[in-house]
Amino acid sequence: MTYNAVVIGGGPGGYVAAIRIAQLGGRVAVVEKDKLGGTCLNRGCIPTKALIAAVEKLKSVQEAADFGIEVVAPKINFSKVQARKSEVVEKLVGGINFLLNKNKVDLFAGAARIKLPGIVEVENNGETQELQCDNIIIATGSRPALIESLGYNGTTIISSEEALQLSEVPKSMLIIGAGVIGCEFAIFMVVWERK
Ligand SMILES: Cc1cc2nc3c(=O)[nH]c(=O)nc-3n(C[C@H](O)[C@H](O)[C@H](O)COP(=O)(O)OP(=O)(O)OC[C@H]3O[C@@H](n4cnc5c(N)ncnc54)[C@H](O)[C@@H]3O)c2cc1C
């Protein structure tokens, strides 16, 4: 199979580029080694917004009395909050799958590497296949920067990826990094803590 373009990475950078190429008449494939939607849908923008939406609801209930609406103390089911977050993510990932299909973009599951100019090799469970192409788009994204001296261990010292999978909200947490991601987690934890 020869493609006008092979896109490595099915995150927002990759799938949007692939759809656009297809819309312009190009024959295109996306190779994704993990989950379609990349960091944004699976471990970034979308799950964090789902958690923020949950604490916004909680905050509205907490502040309802100021508006003359008295409610009993809310009962919170954190596993349900997490389950809803996962549902939102799955639905949106399904949407991307649909869009790729609709635009006739071929999707290959596996890890891609550029073997030679114009040849992308896809490896999945020990099996490899080669895709020939005129152009290659590398849209492999980024990973959390793990600062070695902090002793990341994935349980008590974690990155945003594990923070999104917590089964309960910790009693205390130090967030290193006050960028958008750090601040979002801080908002979530603070509102939750005040419940
Ligand atoms: C916690 C968090 C919250 C965020 N919130 C926001 C937000 O609110 N708004 C916003 O605009 N941005 C947000 N971001 C940033 C956003 O997620 C990234 O900017 C965006 O995902 C980058 O898209 P991308 O396609 O370049 O890379 P990614 O989304 O990282 O996708 C890259 C994909 O490439 C795949 N890949 C890598 N190597 C290979 C290979 N060799 N073969 C095949 N596939 C491969 C990966 O599995 C991955 O799916 C957030 C990020 C995090 C971590």
Side-chain angles (χ1 to χ4, degrees):
M1 181 70 79
T2 301
Y3 292 97
N4 297 114
V6 168
V7 181
I8 305 177
Y15 77 77
V16 174
I19 289 171
R20 190 65 189 135
I21 293 167
Q23 286 170 342
L24 293 171
R27 181 140 187 76
V28 59
V30 170
V31 187
E32 172 54 57
K33 68 173 181 180
D34 189 5
K35 290 184 182 154
L36 200 53
T39 303
C40 182
L41 265 82
N42 297 290
R43 307 173 286 279
C45 332
I46 302 303
T48 49
K49 297 317 161 282
L51 293 182
I52 292 287
V55 291
E56 276 171 358
K57 293 265 183 266
L58 175 60
K59 207 158 179 281
S60 297
V61 174
Q62 286 167 339
E63 292 172 355
D66 297 344
F67 293 81
I69 302 161
E70 295 190 1
V71 288
V72 288
K75 196 170 164 229
I76 295 147
N77 182 338
F78 189 61
S79 56
K80 199 158 178 199
V81 171
Q82 288 286 37
R84 179 186 172 274
K85 177 205 75 180
S86 303
E87 269 171 38
V88 170
V89 168
E90 271 170 39
K91 196 170 169 194
L92 293 180
V93 170
I96 295 173
N97 224 330
F98 171 81
L99 282 177
L100 292 182
N101 268 328
K102 188 175 160 221
N103 286 284
K104 301 192 170 39
V105 175
D106 289 345
L107 177 63
F108 291 87
R113 81 177 180 101
I114 300 169
K115 190 174 176 186
L116 288 168
I119 300 184
V120 172
E121 186 181 76
V122 183
E123 193 272 322
N124 190 352
N125 282 330
E127 310 247 312
T128 57
Q129 63 181 314
E130 288 181 3
L131 310 177
Q132 313 241 350
C133 52
D134 305 325
N135 301 283
I136 298 170
I137 296 181
I138 302 172
T140 48
S142 57
R143 290 186 299 272
L146 303 176
I147 304 166
E148 246 176 60
S149 58
L150 290 178
Y152 164 86
N153 57 21
T155 50
T156 52
I157 303 173
I158 60 179
S159 73
S160 58
E161 293 193 9
E162 292 85 14
L164 282 167
Q165 301 302 331
L166 290 170
S167 53
E168 56 186 47
V169 178
K171 292 207 169 18
S172 69
M173 179 181 268
L174 170 68
I175 298 175
I176 299 177
V180 180
I181 297 172
C183 290
E184 275 189 338
F185 279 108
I187 291 167
F188 179 79
M189 299 295 169
V190 164
V191 176
W192 206 266
E193 173 72 6
R194 285 194 196 135
K195 72 183 186 298

